[in-house]
Amino acid sequence: MVRFSPTSFLGALWTAFATVSIAHSKVFHIPSALQNGTSVAQFTASSSGLDGLMVEPINGSAFDWWYFDVVSTDPSMLASVVVTFFASSQPAFPLLDPADTITVARIWVSYPNGTLWEATANGEQGATVTTDGDSSCGDWHGTGFSWTSNPYTREYVINIDAPAAGVKGTITFPSPAPAHYPCGPVSAGQNLEVGPHIGWANAVPDSSAVVNLEINGAGLAFTGTGYHDKNWSDQPFTKNVASWYWGHGRVGPYSIVWFDFLDRTGTEFVSAYASENGRILAASCAPGSISVRPTGVNATYPPVISSPVPTGYTITLPLENGEGTLAVQVNVLSHLISPNPEYARLIGNLSAELVQPPAVKGGKGKTATLTGMALFEQFKLTA
Ligand SMILES: *[C@@H]1O[C@H](CO)[C@@H](O)[C@H](O)[C@H]1NC(C)=O
Ligand SMILES: *[C@@H]1O[C@H](CO)[C@@H](O)[C@H](O)[C@H]1NC(C)=O
Ligand SMILES: *[C@@H]1O[C@H](CO)[C@@H](O)[C@H](O)[C@H]1NC(C)=O
Ligand SMILES: *[C@@H]1O[C@H](CO)[C@@H](O)[C@H](O)[C@H]1NC(C)=O
Ligand SMILES: *[C@@H]1O[C@H](CO)[C@@H](O)[C@H](O)[C@H]1NC(C)=O
Ligand SMILES: *[C@@H]1O[C@H](CO)[C@@H](O)[C@H](O)[C@H]1NC(C)=O
């Protein structure tokens, strides 16, 4: 017999709230096997679920992955870490190593002296991603790699306990800069395509991240500029991309993220982001909202497979409300994966000036030179 008591009344209330909160939460089970049938990709934002699975099922043309990195903010150190949770078919993204599973976790490290280390954990038991609002948790079963995030503070934490891969520890991403989509701040109805059939959602454009790892028994600890995004498609990557420049960094007080790429028809697509102290200063995919071009002796634009990696890039990033234009120089310091013709992942130092139009009242012209660090990549997939 049910007896009415304050406790059970509160319990019932609590259950009601819990049900509401479960209604905002969604659980995705991702099988480790490639699926047959038709993949459906989401390319328009809902009111929540920014960091969920965006293409289902993962068939032989589809990919979806959760990407995290940290690059040391100390320019005298070449330390970085990249962790990617893949749910990707290898035919859809040919730069992946062939594996008998699609739920793969991978970590790449550069030590302070620039030496590289990496490990891969193939998950044979699939993966689970749970969203709560715009935050997410992910567990790549059997790999020892997982992440959690807090829907209120938006802090992300990667937990690694992967003895077979020789690595354990945590990477924490506290108080992220405001999230964004390719064409603007987070809101329902936003376009999620950074280019044709390339979905992109950037949950953590910047965070003062803390890396605490133990690799083959030796510690690797540093703080840096942390980042997390996800990208997905229902079509093979090479069908839609000829070349691209992507990167993120912090220069002076500004958190910046850049995307500038050419599709197979030569059409340029861009996405610009800048924020300062939790305030978005640029978030746009309009043509001209950012420009990224190679610089130095080996600069070739547009780049093709045979083009060498340039020594740097120049980025022009206009801020909103006439707050000026960030003129950023990127200088390549070191490679994060062994060189290959199609793809380079790099770290480098940044210098920037905020250039204000003379007409701006109180405009300062050019500000003092700002400096910082960045992690960035380039693809070139056509001859
Ligand atoms: C997909 O189809 C092939 C051929 O019919 C079959 O061998 C395979 O088991 C199927 N995969 C799944 C995940 O159902
Ligand atoms: C996967 O699904 C897409 C539809 O989104 C379809 O165009 C494609 O042919 C499918 N790929 C495979 C390998 O079945
Ligand atoms: C770089 O640092 C790593 C980790 O401390 C060490 O194992 C490696 O021997 C160093 N490499 C060089 C060339 O000093
Ligand atoms: C997804 O984004 C990450 C970082 O933004 C990048 O390293 C990776 O190459 C992208 N992959 C695809 C398939 O879009
Ligand atoms: C320019 O590219 C050539 C050919 O790949 C290479 O040998 C040379 O080292 C590069 N120069 C610089 C400054 O990176
Ligand atoms: C990068 O650092 C080097 C060494 O301190 C410096 O000479 C160079 O000007 C810096 N480049 C940029 C683009 O900040």
Side-chain angles (χ1 to χ4, degrees), residues 155-218:
E155 172 173 296
Y156 277 76
V157 180
I158 297 177
N159 288 292
I160 306 172
D161 185 3
V167 55
K168 65 177 185 181
T170 59
I171 307 171
T172 308
F173 301 79
S175 308
H180 69 113
Y181 290 129
C183 300
V186 172
S187 68
Q190 277 278 329
N191 175 17
L192 297 179
E193 276 175 294
V194 69
H197 286 265
I198 307 281
W200 184 50
N202 190 187
V204 181
D206 190 13
S207 157
S208 293
V210 181
V211 178
N212 233 312
L213 296 177
E214 200 180 302
I215 298 170
N216 296 327

Side-chain angles (χ1 to χ4, degrees), residues 24-178:
H24 284 278
S25 161
K26 213 167 163 184
V27 182
F28 302 91
H29 295 291
I30 308 170
S32 62
L34 210 53
Q35 299 299 295
N36 296 317
T38 301
S39 297
V40 177
Q42 185 185 337
F43 289 128
T44 303
S46 310
S47 57
S48 69
L50 174 148
D51 216 19
L53 182 67
M54 295 296 207
V55 48
E56 230 181 339
I58 305 292
N59 75 6
S61 314
F63 60 86
D64 197 342
W65 67 41
W66 289 258
Y67 169 96
F68 298 82
D69 76 44
V70 185
V71 54
S72 169
T73 28
D74 176 351
S76 68
M77 264 176 56
L78 299 174
S80 70
V81 58
V82 173
V83 179
T84 301
F85 296 82
F86 294 101
S88 307
S89 90
Q90 199 263 345
F93 194 73
L95 301 185
L96 292 177
D97 292 335
D100 60 356
T101 167
I102 62 163
T103 47
V104 171
R106 193 157 177 180
I107 179 169
W108 294 262
V109 158
S110 62
Y111 286 100
N113 64 9
T115 295
L116 305 181
W117 177 87
E118 66 170 278
T120 302
N122 290 337
E124 312 288 346
Q125 298 151 39
T128 304
V129 172
T130 308
T131 58
D132 186 351
D134 284 329
S135 73
S136 70
C137 300
D139 193 351
W140 263 231
H141 303 298
T143 67
F145 285 74
S146 63
W147 82 84
T148 58
S149 70
N150 180 314
Y152 304 104
T153 64
R154 299 179 49 243
E155 172 173 296
Y156 277 76
V157 180
I158 297 177
N159 288 292
I160 306 172
D161 185 3
V167 55
K168 65 177 185 181
T170 59
I171 307 171
T172 308
F173 301 79
S175 308

Side-chain angles (χ1 to χ4, degrees), residues 297-298 308-309 311:
V297 292
N298 278 334
V309 172
T311 55

Side-chain angles (χ1 to χ4, degrees), residues 31 47 149 204 206 228 292 313 330 369 372:
S47 57
S149 70
V204 181
D206 190 13
H228 161 50
V292 183
Y313 300 87
V330 183
T369 301

